[in-house]
């Protein structure tokens, strides 16, 4: 009789039944004449028990290299000690492909090595967890807009002009005509919202950013809503509701996954409207004020304490390591030690730049755009996303509408994620007056000719409107507590990396 193929996540419904699993060998452990094979199939991990009495399978299992693919049949048994609570008592084993020596061992590797092996690295449990949470985030984003009367409009990736500054355009040759990879779908969405009212796009966007920070990718995914008749306050409310809703959706499905990533889940429970809100000028004041100084002092003490703890823990591990014989336990200790050393380096680095951060905050001049340092400080002063509005016109894009009460400012908002993750949303009300927009373009040194179609929107039934863009990788990095956005996308594109 042919056995039913099941996936590991389906095992709980198959207790005491015979099934067939297919997957890859993740790990192996021996004990008391028994081999425990750890099989992974993308839905979970299953401990497969091979008895020594089954001489043929036992020999195969004993030598099978990590990441070999195999099919195993046997009976599903409940076992508290097994990962997932179920194990498979193996009766038959079939090797589909015996793997070559796998380059990623369970000892930790440096991040450059891992990125160069990203095509394999994504098999590790931490990475599959992150990718699954990303999928949930994507669905939650679509659900949010789909259930609120928005129409999805797919905007082009090949684009004839700049929207977010000519400095970060990727150029390409379009049958002899200079063309670019899109930085944003916004300008096309503005056109679409005049047709459909409420619209959004969700796709990859490209910026030739020459920055190697933990917040920058050269290719990232952005969701952008755009709404006819919306004014700044409408955008602020929508952003609050939107962020709260996607955080709740991720929490509802992935609480234990987040914990397994080391995320402090309590911090996410807080994310409910209203969010703290201030103007750019108030934010500058707060950078110069006593709260920032108090924060920096507290941060210094906190980092020092964590550094002390980590160093102590490292000593303990090194001691254990020296006393442990060969085998998986020693491998695990090595892995933990490498991770801890990386952690210690990061803490030392942060402690070192803290005084510089403080100086920059104190010296910050009205009119400048907030950089990573200022964003980190501002967002760390709050336990919810911080909404900052009314930035100086000079530091922002040409399409933003100036504030009628103070034309040095624009009607825009940035949303900074808490805990120092930085800007996740940028948006604004748009300039809807033709002459004012033309003036803004000229002041920005732009030739209006390629934008005639965009200017048409101001000629035929122009209305107040606006929208925003949320970066998926930065949002996911915040939700999962990732240090760097490179883990938040399957195949990151960074300034210094385009392989694999
Ligand atoms: O603030 P930005 O540049 O806004 C726009 O592109 C507007 N056209 C959006 C709109 O109003 N429709 O980018 C929006 C968000 C940022 O807040 C950030 O989350 C993300 O996109 N982002 C990046 N993420 C990763 N790497 C980069 N290089 C990013 N640049 C922007
Ligand atoms: Mg921005």
């Amino acid at each position: 009789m042919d056995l039913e193929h099941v996936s590991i996540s389906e095992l709980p419904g198959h207790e005491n039944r015979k099934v067939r699993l297919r997957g890859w060998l993740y790990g192996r452990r021996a004990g008391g004449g028994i081999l425990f094979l750890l099989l992974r199939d993308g839905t979970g991990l299953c401990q497969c028990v091979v008895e020594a009495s089954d001489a043929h399978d036992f020999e195969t299992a004993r030598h099978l290299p990590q990441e070999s693919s195999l099919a195993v049949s046997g009976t599903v048994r409940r076992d508290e000690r097994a990962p997932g609570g179920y194990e498979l008592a193996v009766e038959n084993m079939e090797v589909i492909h015996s793997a070559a020596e796998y380059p990623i061992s369970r000892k930790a590797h440096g991040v450059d090595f891992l990125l160069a092996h990203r095509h394999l690295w994504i098999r590790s449990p931490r990475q599959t967890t992150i990718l699954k949470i990303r999928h949930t985030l994507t669905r939650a984003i679509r659900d949010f807009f789909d259930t609120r009367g928005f129409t999805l409009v797919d905007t082009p990736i090949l684009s004839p002009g700049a929207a977010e500054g000519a400095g970060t355009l990727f150029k390409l040759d379009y049958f002899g005509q200079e063309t670019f990879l899109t930085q944003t779908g916004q300008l096309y969405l503005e056109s679409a919202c005049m047709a459909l009212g409420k619209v959004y796009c969700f796709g990859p966007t490209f910026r030739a950013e020459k920055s190697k920070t933990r917040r920058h990718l050269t290719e990232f995914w952005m969701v952008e809503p755009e709404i006819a008749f919306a004014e700044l306050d409408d955008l602020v409310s929508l952003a609050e509701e939107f962020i709260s809703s996607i955080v709740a959706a991720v929490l509802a499905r992935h609480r234990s996954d987040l914990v397994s990533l080391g995320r402090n889940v309590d911090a996410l429970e807080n994310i409910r409207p209203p969010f703290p809100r201030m103007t750019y000028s108030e934010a500058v004041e707060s950078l110069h004020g006593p709260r920032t100084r108090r924060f920096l002092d507290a941060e210094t003490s906190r980092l020092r304490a964590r550094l002390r703890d980590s160093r102590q823990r490292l000593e303990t591990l090194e001691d254990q390591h020296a006393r442990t014989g060969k085998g998986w336990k020693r491998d695990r200790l090595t892995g933990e030690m490498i991770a801890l050393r990386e952690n210690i380096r990061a803490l030392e680095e942060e402690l070192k730049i803290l005084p510089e951060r403080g100086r920059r905050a104190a010296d910050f001049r009205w009119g400048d755009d907030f950089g990573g340092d200022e964003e980190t400080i501002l967002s760390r002063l709050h336990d919810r996303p911080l909404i900052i509005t009314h930035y100086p016109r000079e530091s922002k894009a040409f399409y933003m509408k100036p504030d009628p009460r103070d034309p040095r400012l624009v009607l825009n908002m940035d949303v900074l994620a808490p805990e120092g993750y930085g800007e996740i949303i940028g948006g604004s009300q748009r300039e809807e007056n033709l002459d004012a927009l033309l003036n803004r373009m000229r002041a920005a040194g732009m030739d209006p000719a390629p934008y005639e179609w965009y200017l048409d929107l101001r000629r035929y039934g122009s209305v107040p409107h606006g929208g925003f863009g949320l970066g998926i990788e930065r949002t996911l990095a915040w939700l999962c507590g990732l240090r760097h956005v490179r883990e938040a996308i399957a195949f990151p594109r960074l300034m210094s990396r385009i392989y694999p």
Side-chain angles (χ1 to χ4, degrees):
M1 190 190 74
D2 278 347
L3 282 176
E4 189 185 356
H5 280 131
V6 298
S7 55
I8 293 171
S9 64
E10 293 167 332
L11 288 180
H14 290 78
E15 193 174 343
N16 298 325
R17 299 236 301 269
K18 272 195 188 178
V19 300
R20 190 160 185 259
L21 295 174
R22 288 175 298 190
W24 295 263
L25 181 63
Y26 177 66
R28 173 182 31 227
R29 189 160 64 78
I34 293 179
L35 271 177
F36 298 99
L37 297 185
L38 215 47
L39 189 79
R40 58 163 199 88
D41 73 349
T43 74
L45 280 176
C46 175
Q47 173 170 297
C48 303
V49 186
V50 186
E51 308 266 350
S53 54
D54 178 356
H56 177 72
D57 283 351
F58 195 82
E59 254 331 277
T60 315
R62 215 152 69 92
H63 299 290
L64 198 60
Q66 187 186 348
E67 287 302 318
S68 292
S69 46
L70 63 157
V72 281
S73 324
T75 307
V76 181
R77 289 193 305 224
R78 176 116 190 85
D79 190 318
E80 291 298 333
R81 293 158 301 175
Y86 292 85
E87 62 177 23
L88 193 79
V90 176
E91 284 153 35
N92 184 41
M93 209 174 92
E94 183 193 324
V95 176
I96 300 167
H97 177 244
S98 177
E101 194 185 338
Y102 195 58
I104 303 180
S105 69
R106 228 134 14 121
K107 304 175 195 169
H109 299 273
V111 77
D112 273 333
F113 179 88
L114 289 172
L115 281 172
H117 292 83
R118 184 65 177 166
H119 51 297
L120 302 175
W121 184 25
I122 53 174
R123 299 182 183 193
S124 76
R126 177 181 163 85
Q127 300 306 317
T128 54
T129 300
I130 295 170
L131 290 175
K132 282 184 184 175
I133 299 176
R134 180 179 169 119
H135 174 225
T136 298
L137 176 63
T138 299
R139 260 177 53 181
I141 288 169
R142 287 200 185 287
D143 278 350
F144 181 86
F145 292 113
D146 293 347
T147 54
R148 278 170 181 76
F150 284 75
T151 302
L152 175 71
V153 174
D154 299 317
T155 50
I157 285 172
L158 298 177
S159 166
E164 299 295 333
T168 61
L169 284 171
F170 279 114
K171 292 189 187 61
L172 46 99
D173 173 28
Y174 191 74
F175 307 111
Q177 184 190 330
E178 188 174 62
T179 302
F180 312 98
L181 292 176
T182 189
Q183 300 167 306
T184 166
Q186 179 197 319
L187 305 194
Y188 294 98
L189 276 187
E190 286 185 53
S191 160
C193 88
M194 301 301 166
L196 293 152
K198 296 201 281 184
V199 293
Y200 75 103
C201 67
F202 191 174
T205 44
F206 305 86
R207 308 254 171 118
E209 312 240 29
K210 294 209 173 66
S211 34
K212 293 186 178 170
T213 78
R214 58 200 173 93
R215 294 174 187 162
H216 286 93
L217 295 163
T218 53
E219 175 177 325
F220 62 96
W221 281 62
M222 179 155 60
V223 57
E224 301 179 82
E226 188 76 25
I227 307 167
F229 304 105
E231 300 187 12
L232 181 59
D233 282 339
D234 304 315
L235 300 175
V236 168
S237 309
L238 184 70
E240 279 176 338
E241 209 195 322
F242 174 50
I243 292 175
S244 307
S245 151
I246 57 181
V247 172
V250 166
L251 269 178
R253 274 182 83 101
H254 295 287
R255 183 174 298 270
S256 60
D257 287 335
L258 291 169
V259 171
S260 80
L261 296 175
R263 182 66 167 102
N264 167 11
V265 180
D266 292 343
L268 296 177
E269 302 277 4
N270 259 331
I271 310 302
R272 265 177 260 113
F275 296 167
R277 177 173 169 175
M278 57 172 73
T279 63
Y280 169 89
S281 299
E282 287 162 349
V284 175
E285 237 171 75
S286 107
L287 281 176
H288 294 159
R291 264 194 89 184
T292 293
R293 280 195 299 277
R294 273 202 305 275
F295 162 75
L296 288 167
D297 288 344
E299 187 66 359
T300 310
S301 318
R302 193 185 68 90
L303 288 173
R304 282 203 184 121
R306 276 185 56 193
L307 197 56
R308 207 169 42 237
D309 290 351
S310 300
R311 283 181 180 144
Q312 259 168 22
R313 169 103 186 111
L314 182 62
E315 265 180 42
T316 313
L317 288 179
E318 282 171 342
D319 198 48
Q320 282 176 7
H321 186 262
R323 283 186 285 109
T324 308
K326 273 172 100 161
W328 62 275
K329 200 163 172 190
R330 198 179 160 94
D331 282 357
R332 209 197 53 210
L333 285 170
T334 313
E336 257 184 77
M337 277 158 45
I338 294 176
L340 203 57
R341 284 196 196 107
E342 254 178 43
N343 192 259
I344 288 173
R345 256 200 309 280
L347 285 171
E348 285 169 345
E349 192 61 29
E350 252 175 78
L351 252 177
K352 218 169 69 195
I353 61 173
L354 215 50
E356 176 60 23
R357 251 196 199 145
R359 264 195 301 281
R360 269 197 230 145
D363 295 346
F364 188 86
R365 284 212 321 268
W366 194 98
D368 296 342
D369 203 0
F370 296 131
D373 285 323
E374 292 81 26
E375 282 182 4
T376 300
I377 292 176
L378 289 167
S379 69
R380 289 289 299 274
L381 296 175
H382 302 270
D383 64 350
R384 295 175 195 209
L386 171 65
I387 300 178
I388 306 180
T389 62
H390 299 86
Y391 280 60
R393 198 175 64 182
E394 301 307 324
S395 68
K396 289 291 177 184
F398 74 95
Y399 52 72
M400 294 189 180
K401 185 180 166 74
D403 181 359
R405 284 176 311 180
D406 182 351
R408 293 177 309 153
L409 310 176
V410 280
L411 299 174
N412 82 311
M413 67 165 174
D414 273 3
V415 182
L416 310 188
E419 302 170 72
Y421 285 93
E423 179 199 322
I424 52 171
I425 280 185
S428 76
Q429 214 176 305
R430 321 302 187 191
E431 178 54 76
E432 80 265 26
N433 178 279
L434 180 62
D435 292 329
L437 184 58
L438 276 168
N439 285 337
R440 285 276 277 152
M441 292 176 85
R442 289 199 195 97
M446 296 167 69
D447 173 13
Y451 297 90
E452 271 308 313
W453 67 272
Y454 183 67
L455 296 169
D456 266 354
L457 307 176
R458 280 75 184 163
R459 293 187 181 108
Y460 305 103
S462 191
V463 297
H465 64 287
F468 59 78
L470 170 125
I472 307 310
E473 291 76 17
R474 287 194 195 170
T475 304
L476 190 66
W478 163 49
L479 293 176
C480 294
L482 313 176
R483 288 192 63 78
H484 197 296
V485 287
R486 65 190 162 214
E487 272 184 292
I489 184 164
F491 296 98
R493 295 290 171 249
L494 302 161
M495 188 187 162
S496 53
R497 176 170 297 284
I498 192 136
Y499 175 93

